[in-house]
């Protein structure tokens, strides 16, 4: 199985400041069709997960543009340009290239 | 608006069975693959099972293979997860998830004597 490793586990942030989460996979996430199926999810306290980013850098509809995804191969990053109070929660990366689908362990973002 | 509504969770004894349902609306359900994902209390996310749009392709996590069965009824816009031989470690909130990034609110399954 592909192991997804996120860092840090916990990320204290300051409102208005940038934040960055790293996600590394144990093997390349480039699929045979040329796409890289790496997604990012946000789970606010008491809520269901919500997808923010798909295929490394594509923002889902309604996701603020302060969220951005980047990376390639085995190394990926989620960046928040200016943290807002509503961004508190746990963030997960997920790979959809190889079966079984696997998630990172999560990064808790707190003010 | 896309909506996914799970139901069927509850308290069950080890070795028991439950059938979860996910009612989909707001999109052409029959055109999309679907997944079940679970989250144990206080833990991270774990993919459970996948089914293609027609139901012809199915995958399971090793942890549930041989015990869980995923299915769908495209005429009813519904996704199902039949869970047999339940174990305490199956205790979790179960979410159905569409490839468009939409998730339901989840349904809690508690396996305990």
């Amino acid at each position: 199985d592909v192991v997804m490793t996120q860092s840090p586990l916990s990320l204290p942030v300051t409102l208005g400041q940038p934040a960055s989460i790293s996600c590394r996979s144990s093997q390349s996430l480039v699929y045979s069709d040329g796409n890289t199926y790496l997604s990012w999810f946000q789970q606010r306290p008491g809520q269901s997960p919500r997808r923010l980013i798909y295929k490394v850098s594509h923002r889902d509809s309604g996701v603020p543009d302060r969220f951005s995804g980047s990376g390639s191969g085995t190394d990926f990053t989620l960046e928040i340009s200016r943290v807002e109070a509503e961004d508190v929660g746990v963030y997960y990366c997920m790979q959809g290239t190889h079966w079984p689908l696997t998630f990172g362990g999560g990064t808790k973002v707190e003010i | 608006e896309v909506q996914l509504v799970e139901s069927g969770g509850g308290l069950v004894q080890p070795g028991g069975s439950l059938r979860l349902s996910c009612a989909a609306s707001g999109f052409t359900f029959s055109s999309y693959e679907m997944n079940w994902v679970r989250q144990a209390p206080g833990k991270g996310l774990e993919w459970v099972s996948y089914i293609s749009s027609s139901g012809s392709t199915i995958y399971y996590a090793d942890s549930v293979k041989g015990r869980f069965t995923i299915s769908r009824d495209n005429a009813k816009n519904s996704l199902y997860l039949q869970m047999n031989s339940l174990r305490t470690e199956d205790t979790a909130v179960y979410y159905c998830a569409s490839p468009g990034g939409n998730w339901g609110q989840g349904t809690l399954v508690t396996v305990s004597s």
Side-chain angles (χ1 to χ4, degrees), chain A residues 3-4 15 21 27 46 53 61 66-67 69 81-82 97 102 109:
Chain A
V3 177
M4 305 296 288
L15 295 178
I21 300 171
Q27 55 186 276
I53 302 284
S61 175
R66 65 178 180 275
F67 289 94
S81 59
R82 294 173 305 280
T97 297
T102 48
V109 172

Side-chain angles (χ1 to χ4, degrees), chain B residues 6-35:
Chain B
E6 301 93 339
S7 61
L11 174 62
V12 62
Q13 292 188 335
S17 298
L18 274 179
R19 189 194 195 206
L20 305 185
S21 299
C22 171
S25 61
F27 66 108
T28 308
F29 179 74
S30 59
S31 297
Y32 292 93
E33 58 201 21
M34 295 291 294
N35 288 281

Side-chain angles (χ1 to χ4, degrees), chain A residues 41 43 47-51 60 92 99-101 103 105, chain B residues 39 43-45 47 50 59 95 99-101 103-105:
Chain A
F41 292 84
Q43 188 173 32
Q47 295 188 13
S48 301
R50 166 201 184 194
R51 195 178 70 182
D60 274 281
Y92 297 92
W99 292 104
L101 308 183
F103 291 88
Chain B
Q39 186 171 35
K43 302 296 184 182
L45 301 171
W47 170 78
Y50 161 95
Y59 299 119
Y95 299 99
W103 292 45
Q105 86 289 346

Side-chain angles (χ1 to χ4, degrees), chain B residues 16-83:
Chain B
S17 298
L18 274 179
R19 189 194 195 206
L20 305 185
S21 299
C22 171
S25 61
F27 66 108
T28 308
F29 179 74
S30 59
S31 297
Y32 292 93
E33 58 201 21
M34 295 291 294
N35 288 281
W36 286 99
V37 178
R38 68 184 180 183
Q39 186 171 35
K43 302 296 184 182
L45 301 171
E46 179 189 17
W47 170 78
V48 173
S49 185
Y50 161 95
I51 187 167
S52 63
S53 57
S54 66
S56 60
T57 301
I58 285 173
Y59 299 119
Y60 297 101
D62 285 347
S63 57
V64 306
K65 201 173 296 183
R67 300 186 299 122
F68 290 12
T69 302
I70 191 172
S71 62
R72 65 191 298 158
D73 185 336
N74 287 340
K76 294 183 177 179
N77 289 341
S78 292
L79 176 71
Y80 305 103
L81 187 68
Q82 177 66 43
M83 304 187 298

Side-chain angles (χ1 to χ4, degrees), chain A:
Chain A
D1 297 0
V2 176
V3 177
M4 305 296 288
T5 304
Q6 288 184 231
S7 62
L9 262 60
S10 177
L11 181 59
V13 297
T14 302
L15 295 178
Q17 294 300 305
S20 178
I21 300 171
S22 170
C23 175
R24 288 183 172 153
S25 58
S26 59
Q27 55 186 276
S28 174
L29 299 185
V30 180
Y31 190 54
S32 55
D33 63 4
N35 288 309
T36 300
Y37 294 97
L38 186 284
S39 300
W40 289 96
F41 292 84
Q42 174 196 60
Q43 188 173 32
R44 291 170 172 155
Q47 295 188 13
S48 301
R50 166 201 184 194
R51 195 178 70 182
L52 301 175
I53 302 284
Y54 63 97
K55 287 196 283 187
V56 180
S57 60
H58 294 80
R59 252 191 319 273
D60 274 281
S61 175
V63 174
D65 60 8
R66 65 178 180 275
F67 289 94
S68 64
S70 63
S72 62
T74 61
D75 204 344
F76 305 93
T77 302
L78 175 70
E79 294 184 328
I80 310 173
S81 59
R82 294 173 305 280
V83 173
E84 297 191 5
E86 65 180 18
D87 300 336
V88 165
V90 181
Y91 292 76
Y92 297 92
C93 59
M94 186 207 81
Q95 67 83 19
T97 297
H98 304 282
W99 292 104
L101 308 183
T102 48
F103 291 88
T107 294
K108 187 174 185 178
V109 172
E110 46 200 354
I111 306 295

